[in-house]
Amino acid sequence: MKILIVFDKPIPVAKYGGIQRIVWWLGKELVRQGHKVIFLVGEGSTCPFAEVKIYDPEKPLSVQIPDEVDLVHSYIPVMEELNKPYLVHMESNTKKPEYDINTVFVSRNHAERHHATCYVHNGLDPEDYGRPAFNKKNYLHFLGKAAWRVKNVKGAIEVAQKSGNKLHVIGGSRVNFHMGFRFTVDPNMRFHGMIGGEKKNKVMQESKGLLFPVIWHEPFGIAITESMYFGCPVFATPYGSIPEIVDADSGFLTANKEEMINYLKDPADFDYKRIHDRVMEYFSITPMANSFLKLYEKIMNGETLNASKPYFEKDSEPKFLPFA
C-alpha cells in the first residue's frame, strides 16, 4: 500500500514534540511492514526511510497529493474534497462543533467526548528509548509542558513536597511567568527544561515513578507510556485517557490531592517489568500501525469510521478539572 502522511510541521522533532514523534513512528513502522510511505510535511523535514515532500499551506491539499498514493492519513483538518480515500488523525483537545466523519481519536475517552467511536491508542518506538534497567532511585518525575496550566506542575510540586519526595521536572523551569508567577525555591525540586533523547531517557530510567496530576481530559499522554516503558508506575488524576493506559498494577489514580499525598508517603511495591511489558503489548508502534491498517482497509472499501460526524458540545466541560 502507498500511504501519504500529511502534517504541517517539520519532522523529525529536535527535542520533545509529541505529535511529530507519532507521525514519524507511524511512518517508520508502516515502512517496516512493507508499505510505501510519503511524508507531506513542514519545511525543513528530512527522513531516511521515506520520501519527503514539503507541504504548502497556501495551496489546496488536493493538488499536493501524488497520483501514486492509495490513501491519505492526515494530521491536519481536511477542508475540501479529496480524490483519494482519507482519514483525519485527531491528537489534541480541540473543541469544534463538527469533525470529519473519518476522524480517528487517540483514546476511547477522547472519542466519546466528541460523540464518536473510532480511536487508536498512540504507540511509541522502543528503539528511541533503549533497554530499561528497572533500577529505581529516590525521586519522582513530572513530564510535560509545565507552562500549560492543565498539566498542573504546581500540583505535582506540592504533592512531592508534602509527601516527602524529590521531584525532577522535565519540560519546565524553576521560574515561570506563564501561569501568573511561579518561583520554586525548594532544592529537592530539580528542573531540566525542555530536553529530549538520552537526557530525558536518563531521568526516566532512574525515576521511581511519574507524578502526573493533570487537570484536563488528557487525550492520550505519551509522557505516560514512555515513563511506563522504563517501568515507572504512574501517580495521576483519573482524567481522559489515563484509566485506559494505567491499570491497577501500573499506578495509582485519584483526583483527591490529600489522598495522593498520603499514598506517596508509603506507596505500594510495583513490578517494574510488568509495567514495561504492558506498554510493549498495548502501546508500542506495532499495535498502533496494525490498528490503522485495519482502518485503511475500511475506508478503501468505502466505509466510514464513525456512524455520523463527531462533534463537541460547547461548555460541556469545565476549563480545569478538580484536584483538591
Side-chain angles (χ1 to χ4, degrees):
M1 187 182 303
K2 297 177 181 178
I3 304 154
L4 181 71
I5 298 181
V6 182
F7 188 53
D8 58 357
K9 302 291 190 301
I11 58 170
V13 66
K15 291 186 179 179
Y16 192 68
I19 299 177
Q20 285 99 319
R21 286 190 295 156
I22 297 299
V23 170
W24 182 269
W25 289 337
L26 177 61
K28 180 180 176 182
E29 178 63 12
L30 289 170
V31 169
R32 190 191 70 80
Q33 293 195 27
H35 303 282
K36 180 176 180 180
V37 169
I38 300 173
F39 284 119
L40 180 62
V41 284
E43 188 173 357
S45 297
T46 61
C47 180
F49 56 80
E51 181 182 352
V52 171
K53 295 182 179 294
I54 302 305
Y55 172 73
D56 186 346
E58 301 300 319
K59 294 181 179 179
L61 175 58
S62 57
V63 304
Q64 300 182 66
I65 300 174
D67 291 338
E68 63 183 292
V69 304
D70 299 309
L71 177 139
V72 177
H73 184 132
S74 181
Y75 286 84
I76 62 175
V78 174
M79 308 300 293
E80 62 196 277
E81 291 290 329
L82 301 183
N83 60 354
K84 301 285 185 179
Y86 71 91
L87 61 77
V88 179
H89 194 170
M90 175 58 62
E91 290 272 350
S92 61
N93 264 341
T94 58
K95 298 179 178 180
K96 296 181 179 179
E98 190 175 83
Y99 297 81
D100 193 285
I101 197 167
N102 283 339
T103 298
V104 183
F105 296 89
V106 290
S107 66
R108 182 178 63 251
N109 175 273
H110 193 212
E112 289 174 349
R113 290 187 296 106
H114 294 83
H115 301 273
T117 56
C118 187
Y119 69 91
V120 172
H121 286 138
N122 282 332
L124 55 76
D125 184 359
E127 291 184 2
D128 280 12
Y129 298 94
R131 177 179 292 182
F134 310 132
N135 182 21
K136 300 306 160 189
K137 303 297 183 181
N138 63 348
Y139 62 80
L140 300 168
H141 73 278
F142 169 94
L143 176 55
K145 292 183 179 179
W148 291 7
R149 187 176 171 188
V150 292
K151 296 294 185 178
N152 196 22
V153 69
K154 183 177 179 180
I157 291 169
E158 182 182 355
V159 167
Q161 289 172 326
K162 291 185 177 180
S163 63
N165 282 281
K166 296 178 181 178
L167 182 68
H168 285 228
V169 175
I170 307 171
S173 56
R174 192 171 293 276
V175 180
N176 190 293
F177 295 95
H178 296 279
M179 300 179 294
F181 174 75
R182 174 179 58 76
F183 175 49
T184 305
V185 179
D186 190 344
N188 286 320
M189 307 295 113
R190 182 173 176 183
F191 293 80
H192 295 268
M194 297 298 291
I195 58 173
E198 290 302 318
K199 290 182 179 180
K200 183 182 71 173
N201 292 350
K202 186 175 187 297
V203 176
M204 293 187 290
Q205 180 83 278
E206 299 181 352
S207 170
K208 63 180 181 180
L210 171 68
L211 186 50
F212 201 65
V214 295
I215 51 175
W216 74 336
H217 286 300
E218 190 71 35
F220 181 81
I222 303 172
I224 300 171
T225 51
E226 61 187 352
S227 298
M228 290 172 62
Y229 176 85
F230 288 102
C232 295
V234 177
F235 311 114
T237 42
Y239 295 138
S241 65
I242 299 176
E244 299 172 44
I245 305 169
V246 182
D247 65 3
D249 293 323
S250 53
F252 176 77
L253 306 181
T254 180
N256 186 296
K257 186 190 301 181
E258 290 303 316
E259 188 176 18
M260 185 175 288
I261 290 168
N262 290 332
Y263 178 85
L264 287 173
K265 289 178 180 178
D266 185 24
D269 291 329
F270 289 92
D271 183 337
Y272 302 139
K273 176 65 164 53
R274 186 210 166 277
I275 295 172
H276 166 82
D277 290 345
R278 177 170 172 79
V279 171
M280 294 301 294
E281 182 175 0
Y282 298 110
F283 307 113
S284 67
I285 51 175
T286 300
M288 175 177 68
N290 290 343
S291 294
F292 273 115
L293 287 168
K294 292 176 183 177
L295 297 183
Y296 296 165
E297 183 177 353
K298 288 184 68 173
I299 60 176
M300 291 183 72
N301 285 332
E303 300 178 53
T304 58
L305 301 185
N306 295 286
S308 57
K309 287 187 175 182
Y311 64 96
F312 187 86
E313 293 178 282
K314 185 179 179 181
D315 301 324
S316 63
E317 298 173 2
K319 187 174 182 181
F320 303 113
L321 301 173
F323 181 62

